[in-house]
C-alpha cells in the first residue's frame, strides 16, 4: 500500500538526478508515493520516490525511481536525460525526460525489447492515478 512522501524526499531525488520534476508528478507522489496509472486499458505501476526515513519506508521504496532508472541504463538504449517512473509488469517503462534542469510532464514509452524511446501524446497529469 502506498503512502505520502515529503517534499524533502522529492527534492533529494531531484538533486540526485539533477533536474526538477514536473509539478503534476511531484504533487501526485506527495499525496501517494506510488500507485497505479491508468489510461484506457493500459495500466502502469508507479515507482516510488526514495524515502529512507524509517524501516517501513525503506522497505516500501527499495524499487524507487533512481534504482529502477539505473538498472534500466545497464541494458543500454535508455536516454541519459530520462527517468523511469513506472513499469507495466512486462518490461516496458513510462519515462519522463528533462532538459535544462527541468523535467517535462510529457510521457515517453520505453520498449524494453527494441531498446527504443517513443514520445506518447499524453502528459502525466492526463493519466488517472489510483492508490497502489
Amino acid at each position: 500500500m502506498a503512502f505520502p512522501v515529503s517534499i524533502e524526499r522529492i527534492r533529494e531525488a531531484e538533486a540526485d538526478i539533477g533536474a526538477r520534476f514536473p509539478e503534476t508528478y511531484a504533487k501526485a507522489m506527495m499525496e501517494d508515493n506510488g500507485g497505479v496509472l491508468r489510461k484506457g486499458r493500459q495500466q502502469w505501476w508507479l515507482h516510488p520516490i526514495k524515502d529512507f526515513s524509517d524501516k517501513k519506508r525503506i522497505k516500501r521504496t527499495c524499487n524507487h525511481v533512481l534504482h529502477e532508472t539505473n538498472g534500466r541504463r545497464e541494458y543500454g538504449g535508455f536516454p541519459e536525460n530520462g527517468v523511469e517512473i513506472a513499469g507495466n509488469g512486462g518490461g516496458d517503462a513510462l519515462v519522463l525526460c528533462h532538459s535544462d534542469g527541468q523535467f517535462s510532464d510529457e510521457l515517453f514509452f520505453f520498449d524494453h525489447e527494441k531498446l527504443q524511446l517513443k514520445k506518447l501524446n499524453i502528459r502525466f497529469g492526463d493519466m488517472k492515478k489510483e492508490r497502489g
Side-chain angles (χ1 to χ4, degrees):
M1 175 159 238
F3 49 88
V5 68
S6 70
I7 190 65
E8 290 82 18
R9 300 292 90 78
I10 291 172
R11 295 295 178 245
E12 288 170 2
E14 291 172 336
D16 289 344
I17 296 167
R20 296 281 302 242
F21 289 121
E23 190 173 324
T24 54
Y25 175 76
K27 282 183 177 181
M29 297 306 279
M30 283 173 46
E31 292 172 10
D32 191 15
N33 191 15
V36 177
L37 286 182
R38 292 186 196 279
K39 184 68 174 177
R41 297 179 65 184
Q42 296 178 344
Q43 181 170 292
W44 299 87
W45 288 268
L46 284 163
H47 305 310
I49 300 294
K50 176 175 63 174
D51 187 350
F52 292 173
S53 57
D54 61 47
K55 287 183 180 184
K56 183 181 268 187
R57 290 175 190 255
I58 290 169
K59 289 178 186 178
R60 289 184 176 182
T61 65
C62 64
N63 64 324
H64 58 84
V65 294
L66 296 172
H67 174 78
E68 296 297 326
T69 299
N70 291 335
R72 183 72 68 173
R73 285 195 176 120
E74 290 178 10
Y75 295 99
F78 196 81
E80 283 298 316
N81 68 330
V83 66
E84 179 177 336
I85 63 164
N88 66 358
D92 298 322
L94 281 183
V95 177
L96 292 175
C97 293
H98 65 85
S99 65
D100 298 323
Q102 178 66 49
F103 280 98
S104 167
D105 69 342
E106 296 173 310
L107 289 172
F108 292 80
F109 171 81
F110 185 77
D111 184 315
H112 79 285
E113 292 178 349
K114 296 179 182 177
L115 300 178
Q116 292 178 340
L117 190 70
K118 177 185 174 187
K119 183 178 177 181
L120 301 175
N121 291 324
I122 192 163
R123 297 181 176 280
F124 179 84
D126 296 333
M127 299 286 282
K128 181 180 179 186
K129 185 171 183 290
E130 301 172 357
R131 291 188 69 93

